């Protein structure tokens, strides 16, 4: 049962924590607990943070959460991890952002390293296949819950609901580029504030979930005054940290080694991953499979399945790509050592920019928080985010429940339609069970994942016997 803190407990936290709004050890434990539940791509990850930080801990208000999320949606890279960095910075300053962002990806890094090694060593065994057969349907239910939770708290007016529907339709039906959807949502938010301000008032005037106020007031959260000196210091430090491992690898293994090639390539993709992992994976797959030959097309799909069923951002699939590529072209190194080096270097150059973007931009975004035009634009983006998450949920459900899904085009209309005769009965049954656990029984994410994994192993074992 969730209990809501009082004003007295808020004062106690402030006294006990010294400079930190939330005691740093308490924050680290919370971020670690969150990191173990970040399944289901950005939708599930945002929902986990929403539940833990806004609803249960009440460390941050819904509007402040939405404001940070809207900024993160504008950046290249995994928006959920950037949101964790942003909120960690608000609660505990720079070390809070570092801890939150690192813990957010660490379980996924370790899990995917282990699964990549198992894949190379054992391939697709019955046990591994069964595990994924249970986890993937569970993730469908988790994403569905995320759409409901985020939408219920963000779409506080019919105009915002219409904007979310329009964003979903633009992505799912007309294949409109993600940056155009976000730009259109920002413009719509600004127009609503100018010509229909009542559409935005409910979200600004009340807590979006109708509950008691957050434990920590907005004014008490961490803030820094932006300055040219601070910006230059963070920029130089971030660029040096980002480039140093890549430069070292280039010197030690040569500019033509697979490690240098992977480091340069994935450094570039880290700067263009607007719209989440799915928006850039087509390009990554094309280059990794056809240009560099690091893995096969079928292996790219299996790598994505691994990333979708481990905690952390979906873009973590690039670690799997680098692991296989370096293992198969190790140069003078042991193949396993080469695979580990390639995977860790790729992970580093992919996620370090996320910290740089947040630490550079957060003080400016916080200063603009009171600007009505900017706030209105970000409100529009927040509404569009619901449509974006719903589109991701649809994509994931189609590819989990059906074996074959085709892309169809009729003029401007672009649809992904499944072959109905390729439905996966086991996946459908486990998805229904997961929906029951999540929505009806209100079981936790981890409990649901564990039971669904067991169901997948059981059904795969029975199929193998027959």
């Amino acid at each position: 049962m969730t209990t809501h803190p009082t004003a007295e407990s808020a004062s106690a936290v402030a006294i006990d924590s010294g400079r930190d709004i939330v005691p740093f050890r308490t924050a680290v434990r919370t971020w670690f607990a969150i990191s173990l539940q970040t399944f289901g791509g950005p939708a599930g990850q945002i929902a986990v943070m929403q539940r833990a930080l806004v609803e249960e801990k009440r460390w941050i208000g819904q509007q402040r959460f939405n404001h940070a999320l809207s900024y993160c949606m504008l950046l290249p890279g995994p928006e959920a991890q950037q949101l964790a960095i942003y909120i960690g910075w608000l609660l505990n300053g720079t070390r809070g952002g570092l801890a939150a962002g690192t813990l957010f990806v660490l379980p996924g890094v370790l899990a995917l390293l282990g699964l990549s090694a198992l894949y190379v060593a054992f391939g697709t065994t019955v046990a591994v296949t069964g595990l994924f057969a249970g986890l993937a349907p569970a993730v469908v239910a988790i994403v569905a819950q995320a759409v409901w939770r985020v939408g219920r708290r963000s779409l506080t007016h019919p105009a915002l609901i219409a904007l979310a529907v329009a964003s979903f339709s633009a992505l799912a039906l007309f294949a409109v580029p993600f940056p155009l959807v976000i730009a259109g949502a920002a413009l719509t938010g600004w127009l609503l504030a100018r010509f229909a301000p009542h559409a935005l008032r409910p979200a600004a005037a009340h807590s979006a979930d109708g509950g008691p106020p957050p434990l920590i007031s907005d004014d008490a959260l961490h803030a820094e005054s932006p300055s040219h000196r601070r910006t230059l210091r963070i920029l130089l430090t971030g660029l040096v940290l980002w480039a140093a491992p890549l430069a070292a690898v280039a010197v030690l293994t040569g500019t033509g080694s697979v490690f240098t090639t992977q480091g340069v390539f994935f450094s570039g993709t880290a700067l263009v991953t607007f719209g989440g992992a799915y928006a850039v994976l087509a390009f990554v797959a094309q280059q990794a499979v056809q240009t560099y030959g690091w893995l096969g097309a079928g292996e790219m799909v299996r790598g994505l399945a691994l990333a979708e069923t481990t905690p952390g951002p979906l873009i973590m699939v690039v670690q799997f790509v680098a692991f296989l590529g370096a293992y198969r072209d190790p140069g003078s190194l042991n193949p396993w050592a080469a695979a580990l080096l390639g995977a860790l270097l790729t992970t580093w150059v992919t996620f370090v920019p996320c910290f740089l973007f947040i630490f550079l931009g957060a003080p400016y975004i916080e200063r603009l928080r009171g600007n009505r035009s900017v706030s209105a634009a970000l409100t529009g983006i927040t509404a569009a985010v619901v449509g974006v998450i719903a589109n991701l949920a649809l994509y994931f459900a189609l590819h989990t429940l059906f074996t074959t899904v085709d892309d169809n085009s009729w003029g401007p209309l672009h649809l992904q339609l499944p072959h109905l005769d390729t439905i996966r009965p086991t996946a459908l049954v486990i998805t229904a069970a997961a929906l029951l656990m999540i929505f009806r029984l209100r079981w936790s994410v981890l409990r649901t994942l564990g039971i669904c994994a067991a169901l997948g192993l059981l059904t795969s074992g029975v199929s193998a016997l027959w």
Side-chain angles (χ1 to χ4, degrees):
M1 180 177 178
T2 302
T3 58
H4 300 296
T6 63
E8 288 78 11
S9 63
S11 299
V13 168
I15 293 171
D16 292 341
S17 61
R19 292 174 57 191
D20 288 321
I21 300 169
V22 173
F24 186 64
R25 289 186 179 180
T26 301
V28 168
R29 285 195 297 269
T30 299
W31 287 115
F32 180 70
I34 289 173
S35 73
L36 298 178
Q37 304 174 58
T38 52
F39 293 87
Q45 294 154 8
I46 292 168
V48 167
M49 286 188 280
Q50 164 95 28
R51 182 172 59 249
L53 302 173
V54 178
E55 300 174 15
E56 296 176 357
K57 299 291 186 181
R58 303 202 70 85
W59 286 346
I60 188 169
Q62 183 65 54
Q63 296 308 309
R64 199 62 172 270
F65 185 91
N66 288 346
H67 181 84
L69 176 59
S70 297
Y71 170 60
C72 295
M73 288 295 296
L74 297 175
L75 299 173
E79 62 268 23
Q81 190 219 8
Q82 290 164 341
L83 178 62
I85 298 170
Y86 198 133
I87 296 178
W89 177 80
L90 287 175
L91 295 173
N92 296 95
T94 300
R95 68 172 181 168
L98 290 172
T102 301
L103 288 172
F104 193 86
V105 300
L106 187 59
V109 169
L110 298 177
L112 198 54
L113 276 177
L115 290 172
S116 299
L118 287 174
Y119 178 82
V120 169
F122 302 106
T124 54
T125 64
V126 172
V128 174
T129 302
L131 184 66
F132 294 152
L135 287 175
V139 171
V140 173
I142 294 168
V143 173
Q145 182 195 42
V147 175
W148 169 252
R149 282 180 174 271
V150 177
R152 186 172 53 127
R153 288 161 174 78
S154 300
L155 306 181
T156 56
H157 188 274
L160 297 179
I161 296 175
L163 180 55
V165 172
S167 300
F168 171 81
S169 301
L171 292 167
L173 303 181
F174 298 99
V176 176
F178 175 81
L180 291 182
V181 173
I182 293 300
L187 177 61
T188 303
W190 180 80
L191 291 173
L192 285 174
R194 186 175 179 85
F195 299 106
H198 59 281
L200 306 181
R201 274 184 201 141
H206 304 288
S207 174
D209 61 355
L215 169 65
I216 301 163
S217 69
D218 283 352
D219 293 337
L221 293 172
H222 179 79
E224 292 183 44
S225 298
S227 66
H228 294 302
R229 182 176 180 180
R230 177 190 179 278
T231 299
L232 183 61
R233 184 180 73 251
I234 291 178
L235 182 62
L236 290 177
T237 302
L239 290 177
V240 168
L241 289 174
W242 188 16
L246 178 56
V249 163
V251 170
L252 295 174
T253 66
T255 56
S257 71
V258 65
F259 313 107
T260 305
T261 303
Q262 289 178 346
V264 171
F265 174 70
F266 288 116
S267 291
T269 59
L271 299 177
V272 296
T273 51
F274 293 95
Y278 288 124
V280 77
L281 280 181
F283 171 71
V284 171
Q286 181 185 33
Q287 295 298 309
V289 174
Q290 299 177 12
T291 303
Y292 299 112
W294 292 330
L295 74 175
E299 290 177 321
M300 185 71 196
V301 175
R302 288 190 283 275
L304 179 58
L306 289 175
E308 286 172 331
T309 51
T310 53
L314 293 180
I315 197 62
M316 196 78 75
V317 68
V318 300
Q319 177 183 297
F320 176 82
V321 174
F323 190 98
L324 265 63
Y327 180 87
R328 292 165 179 171
D329 184 17
S332 61
L333 296 180
N334 175 277
W336 289 106
L340 182 61
L341 175 60
L344 293 180
L345 177 64
T346 294
T347 301
W348 181 268
V349 299
T350 298
F351 290 107
V352 166
C354 298
F355 294 91
L356 184 58
F357 294 146
I358 296 301
F359 292 148
L360 278 177
Y364 295 96
I365 296 300
E366 287 299 300
R367 173 171 284 190
L368 292 173
R369 192 164 52 87
N371 185 291
R372 296 182 62 184
S373 296
V374 173
S375 296
L378 292 178
T379 299
I381 293 172
T382 300
V385 166
V386 179
V388 173
I389 295 174
N391 179 58
L392 289 176
L394 174 64
Y395 178 94
F396 193 67
L398 287 176
H399 289 269
T400 299
L401 299 178
F402 296 90
T403 303
T404 305
V405 180
D406 290 337
D407 291 319
N408 299 274
S409 298
W410 298 277
L413 195 64
H414 297 272
L415 288 176
Q416 285 198 333
L417 296 176
H419 289 198
L420 297 181
D421 58 345
T422 66
I423 192 169
R424 294 168 171 157
T426 300
L428 183 62
V429 171
I430 297 178
T431 299
L435 289 169
L436 176 66
M437 295 178 222
I438 289 285
F439 284 97
R440 182 69 175 176
L441 302 179
R442 299 183 184 277
W443 286 358
S444 69
V445 170
L446 290 179
R447 185 178 183 184
T448 301
L449 285 168
I451 293 176
C452 289
L455 290 174
L457 289 170
L458 178 62
T459 54
S460 294
V462 171
S463 299
L465 291 175
W466 284 98

